[in-house]
Amino acid sequence: MRDTSSRRERIIDMLRRQGSVQVLTLSETFAVSTQTIRKDLEFLAKRGIATRSYGGALLNDRHGPHSEAALELKQQRHTDEKGMIGKLAASYINAGESVILDSGTTTFQIAANIDSDMEIVVVTNDFGILSELTRCEKLQLIMLGGSLRRKNMAFYGAQAEYAMKNILIDKLFLGVDGFHMEKGITTHFEPEASLNRMMCQAANEVIVVTDSSKFGRICLHKIADPIGITRLITDSNIPPEMASHLRSLGVDVVTIDRQEE
């Protein structure tokens, strides 16, 4: 009984730090069965501490949706997964294509893995991605205007949206803050959600890039429904039932493995 109580206390601590937890990850962390973890999460849900979600649980936060971390903290989280996701996502960009790289630490890793000799067009609203891609002399780089949001060093607002109105793009690589099968793909900042929706409309293919920590999270502003995306590139900790459901909707689910080089 003491082991059970201790495990549940640690799960609560993880919920408070991360905002969400996944059954498979918890099962591996505590070396117990997934059935045991599901009982733990049901116990926490009955006490109002957590809300069950696809393959895991969310912190039942009385103060609102999952809060946004500072950019410096985001850059330090899940760095291995983001690096591998970025490398794999970059391999889906072909010479001669036009792409949008949405703001974010995962999409920055795509920029970092683009071959400096590629002749492509890249549209972005992210200052860090802009700086990274200046090394690519053959690449045509378009920076969306707007107002700088210093919390994530990206540009939003009327100018950015006006620039998007007449742009048609082959592929959008979209970073997300939350991915929930029922509530949709979400983010913390309303102007970001508005711009992201326009990016989705402008692109022939919508490719979501995210590590599995975002699954089950719900943020305040909705971007799109999962059925609206073309491909999801993530790590192998995606809940199997979520991957299966997405594939049944026609989404191409591609996963990396931590051992990949």
Side-chain angles (χ1 to χ4, degrees):
M1 189 66 174
R2 183 177 301 172
D3 289 342
T4 300
S5 298
S6 175
R7 184 178 62 252
R8 289 173 178 174
E9 286 298 323
R10 288 179 63 188
I11 292 173
I12 293 171
D13 181 62
M14 293 171 72
L15 279 165
R16 287 171 177 164
R17 286 187 287 108
Q18 301 171 190
S20 64
V21 291
Q22 297 295 322
V23 170
L24 290 178
T25 302
L26 293 175
S27 175
E28 293 173 1
T29 299
F30 297 108
V32 296
S33 68
T34 55
Q35 183 179 7
T36 296
I37 293 297
R38 288 190 178 94
K39 288 180 180 178
D40 290 340
L41 298 184
E42 291 293 344
F43 176 87
L44 298 180
K46 288 178 181 178
R47 280 151 183 78
I49 298 170
T51 300
R52 288 303 309 274
S53 66
Y54 238 85
L58 300 167
L59 177 66
N60 192 1
D61 188 350
R62 291 173 296 175
H63 303 291
H66 187 76
S67 60
E68 181 179 11
L71 178 61
E72 292 79 6
L73 289 176
K74 288 183 178 181
Q75 290 170 334
Q76 296 169 14
R77 292 175 176 172
H78 309 285
T79 54
D80 291 344
E81 290 89 345
K82 290 176 182 178
M84 290 186 288
I85 290 168
K87 183 177 180 179
L88 179 58
S91 73
Y92 282 90
I93 302 174
N94 302 309
E97 287 186 331
S98 57
V99 303
I100 299 176
L101 294 183
D102 174 39
S103 62
T105 53
T106 306
T107 47
F108 176 85
Q109 291 299 324
I110 300 175
N113 281 281
I114 290 177
D115 191 312
S116 60
D117 290 327
M118 283 199 81
E119 295 185 10
I120 58 174
V121 178
V122 176
V123 178
T124 189
N125 65 318
D126 187 289
F127 182 80
I129 290 174
L130 172 71
S131 300
E132 172 63 28
L133 290 178
T134 56
R135 64 182 171 78
C136 303
E137 295 184 1
K138 296 182 180 180
L139 180 149
Q140 182 182 347
L141 185 56
I142 299 173
M143 184 69 182
L144 298 177
S147 300
L148 177 65
R149 185 183 187 229
R150 296 183 183 278
K151 187 159 189 174
N152 67 339
M153 294 303 290
F155 292 83
Y156 304 99
Q159 287 178 292
E161 293 185 14
Y162 181 80
M164 278 301 307
K165 283 184 178 179
N166 297 311
I167 292 178
L168 298 176
I169 292 292
D170 292 315
K171 294 170 181 173
L172 161 64
F173 292 88
L174 181 67
V176 302
D177 292 312
F179 194 119
H180 191 278
M181 287 303 302
E182 286 79 31
K183 301 299 182 180
I185 298 164
T186 56
T187 189
H188 300 282
F189 187 50
E190 193 279 331
E192 181 175 13
S194 178
L195 183 61
N196 285 165
R197 286 192 290 269
M198 294 185 71
M199 289 176 173
C200 290
Q201 292 172 357
N204 287 331
E205 296 182 36
V206 177
I207 303 171
V208 171
V209 290
T210 181
D211 65 84
S212 59
S213 71
K214 307 296 176 60
F215 297 135
R217 288 189 184 183
I218 303 170
C219 302
L220 191 59
H221 302 286
K222 184 175 179 178
I223 299 169
D225 290 310
I227 198 172
I229 70 174
T230 309
R231 178 174 292 117
L232 169 66
I233 303 177
T234 187
D235 60 73
S236 57
N237 286 325
I238 181 174
E241 58 267 40
M242 177 180 280
S244 177
H245 191 177
L246 287 168
R247 289 184 175 116
S248 74
L249 296 176
V251 179
D252 180 23
V253 179
V254 183
T255 60
I256 54 95
D257 185 88
R258 285 190 58 87
Q259 279 71 48
E260 281 189 45
E261 297 294 337

